[in-house]
Amino acid sequence: MNQRPSPISFSTVSPSVWSCDVNIYHGQCDPAGIVYTPIFFDIFNRVIEDWYRDALGLSYYDFIGPRSTGLGYANAHCDFFVTCTMGDTIRVAVTVERIGNSSFTLVLHAFNGGGEALRGRFTVVTTDLRQHRPIPLPDDLRQALLDYSGAGD
């Protein structure tokens, strides 16, 4: 049986890890002002798209457009520690947990007030969008992931 993860503090995240702020708006919340659970998957997806550009120097849209390379999720999971509410600004940090042949796993830590509010884990699989089959990670993506994670040093 898996043990429930414990939340971490933002101060434990390496300064080399890319992060960004995300504002929580009224329309993302229920009548009690708490963020609807599925909204976090949308937030995390937008953060990941920005991460490709800002941290890896690669265009997410070039992959799924001209390159016809899918960057879909084989697995998406969240652990929730504390609620996030209307008006909060969360800071999301992206780490690379694993790099495989045709997939890699990202862990997104969302902090609210310095403490981890939730954690997402996303396994990304690269696919040929014409044949809808997994393909090896493109060389530039693999190298960017290695460089970002510090494994390419």
Side-chain angles (χ1 to χ4, degrees), residues 1-146:
M1 182 165 35
N2 290 341
Q3 185 177 357
R4 179 167 166 73
S6 297
I8 63 172
S9 169
F10 185 72
S11 64
T12 65
V13 176
S14 169
S16 65
V17 170
W18 180 88
S19 64
C20 68
D21 287 339
V22 177
N23 297 316
I24 303 299
Y25 296 103
H26 173 264
Q28 297 172 306
C29 299
D30 64 18
I34 299 170
V35 178
Y36 286 115
T37 301
I39 293 295
F40 284 113
F41 287 93
D42 181 57
I43 288 171
F44 282 159
N45 191 70
R46 286 186 286 126
V47 166
I48 290 169
E49 288 182 26
D50 289 345
W51 173 79
Y52 279 99
R53 179 193 63 230
D54 297 344
L56 301 185
L58 299 172
S59 171
Y60 179 88
Y61 308 108
D62 283 346
F63 278 104
I64 63 172
R67 294 175 68 170
S68 295
T69 300
L71 299 168
Y73 304 125
N75 188 1
H77 172 85
C78 281
D79 288 300
F80 297 89
F81 305 116
V82 297
T83 59
C84 294
T85 59
M86 181 175 23
D88 287 347
T89 298
I90 59 174
R91 175 157 284 271
V92 182
V94 180
T95 61
V96 176
E97 181 178 74
R98 183 192 62 80
I99 303 169
N101 180 50
S102 61
S103 67
F104 58 96
T105 302
L106 300 175
V107 177
L108 285 78
H109 302 272
F111 299 94
N112 192 356
E116 191 174 23
L118 67 147
R119 182 180 307 160
R121 179 170 275 106
F122 293 78
T123 300
V124 181
V125 177
T126 52
T127 59
D128 179 321
L129 289 176
R130 292 175 293 268
Q131 298 179 6
H132 301 288
R133 294 290 210 208
I135 58 172
L137 293 174
D139 291 339
D140 58 341
L141 177 56
R142 176 178 297 284
Q143 190 60 54
L145 291 167
L146 290 169

